[in-house]
């Protein structure tokens, strides 16, 4: 019976009377997708597992606050994405080194690898200069593949506003990249 219900119907029907059943069903539907999203952001399977666990605890705690302004999956993915970014930013501030990351073990790079890594660093520097709102919007659109309508629903604004924000963010990236590339 529960397999036939949409996520939103599942929450409406089972959350008030059977919250554990509701959460378990939603968890089973999305745990692999959230894990893959975390893994793509962290590139670390252990962190991805930990983040996935933490995200579902957070979602279970906030499930009663879900207001159906967007699909459940959109809401879940935005929580997952924001949680991962927050954790990665925090880790960057703490600036820890794990065993095996020492530069004494680094292999010599080829010119092609060096150029590619330099370009990636330049793009990362540019993206770091964007606001968190710009970064989140761009990642939801281009990494998570959300449609303009889904984004408009999530942010509770018009689709044309989403399009304009995306365009401005892309233009800003281009300008910052050109500026960084010249210096």
């Amino acid at each position: 019976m529960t397999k036939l219900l949409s996520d939103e119907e599942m929450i409406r029907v089972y959350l008030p009377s059977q919250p554990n059943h509701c959460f378990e069903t939603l968890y089973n539907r999305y745990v692999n997708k959230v894990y893959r999203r975390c893994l793509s952001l962290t590139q670390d399977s252990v962190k991805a597992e930990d983040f996935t666990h933490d995200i579902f605890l957070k979602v279970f705690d906030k499930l009663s606050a879900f207001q159906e302004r967007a699909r459940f999956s959109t809401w879940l993915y935005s929580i997952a994405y924001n949680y991962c970014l927050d954790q990665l930013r925090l880790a960057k501030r703490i600036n820890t080194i794990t065993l095996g990351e020492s530069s004494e073990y680094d292999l010599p790079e080829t010119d092609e690898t060096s150029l590619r890594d330099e370009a990636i660093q330049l793009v990362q520097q540019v993206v770091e200069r964007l606001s968190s709102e710009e970064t989140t919007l761009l990642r939801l659109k281009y990494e998570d593949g959300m449609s303009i309508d889904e984004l408009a629903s999530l942010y509770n604004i018009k689709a044309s506003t989403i399009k304009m924000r995306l365009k401005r963010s892309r233009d800003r990236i281009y300008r910052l990249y050109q500026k960084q590339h010249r210096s």
Side-chain angles (χ1 to χ4, degrees):
M1 172 69 180
T2 59
K3 290 182 180 183
L4 301 175
L5 296 176
S6 72
D7 301 332
E8 293 76 19
E9 291 169 331
M10 170 70 60
I11 293 167
R12 271 186 254 122
V13 171
Y14 289 102
L15 184 62
S17 60
Q18 298 176 341
N20 290 337
H21 175 72
C22 177
F23 181 72
E24 183 180 347
T25 302
L26 294 170
Y27 177 85
N28 289 333
R29 286 181 185 177
Y30 290 101
V31 66
N32 291 329
K33 292 177 183 177
V34 170
Y35 171 77
R36 284 193 305 272
R37 184 74 211 128
C38 292
L39 184 60
S40 74
L41 290 167
T42 64
Q43 303 298 312
D44 181 329
S45 61
V46 174
K47 277 185 188 174
E49 286 178 25
D50 289 344
F51 288 4
T52 300
H53 177 73
D54 293 345
I55 288 162
F56 275 100
L57 287 175
K58 191 173 196 160
V59 165
F60 184 64
D61 190 43
K62 294 182 177 199
L63 197 54
S64 61
F66 175 64
Q67 297 177 358
E68 294 189 49
R69 285 191 225 153
R71 291 189 334 233
F72 172 77
S73 59
T74 301
W75 183 73
L76 172 64
Y77 296 149
S78 67
I79 290 172
Y81 178 78
N82 289 324
Y83 181 84
C84 288
L85 284 187
D86 289 345
Q87 295 304 309
L88 293 172
R89 279 189 206 112
L90 180 62
K92 194 184 276 187
R93 272 189 244 142
I94 294 173
N95 198 18
T96 58
I97 265 190
T98 60
L99 294 175
E101 288 183 0
S102 173
S103 61
E104 68 187 37
Y105 299 110
D106 288 345
L107 298 173
E109 297 180 338
T110 64
D111 287 341
E112 183 179 312
T113 303
S114 179
L115 289 174
R116 187 193 72 219
D117 290 347
E118 191 176 309
I120 289 171
Q121 279 185 326
L122 186 57
V123 170
Q124 285 173 337
Q125 289 171 358
V126 167
V127 171
E128 286 173 2
R129 293 181 63 190
L130 297 175
S131 71
S132 62
E133 292 81 19
E134 288 174 309
T135 304
T136 299
L137 183 62
L138 288 167
R139 289 184 187 254
L140 288 172
K141 171 67 177 146
Y142 297 109
E143 287 183 6
D144 294 345
M146 290 180 67
S147 71
I148 298 294
D149 291 335
E150 288 173 326
L151 290 168
S153 176
L154 178 65
Y155 284 93
N156 201 23
I157 56 179
K158 294 180 181 178
S160 60
T161 305
I162 292 291
K163 290 177 186 177
M164 184 53 68
R165 287 182 183 179
L166 287 168
K167 181 185 181 333
R168 287 180 182 156
S169 296
R170 289 189 308 265
D171 290 348
R172 184 161 185 239
I173 289 172
Y174 180 75
R175 285 192 311 274
L176 290 169
Y177 181 84
Q178 291 298 326
K179 185 177 178 182
Q180 287 283 110
H181 190 65
R182 283 187 227 130
S183 47

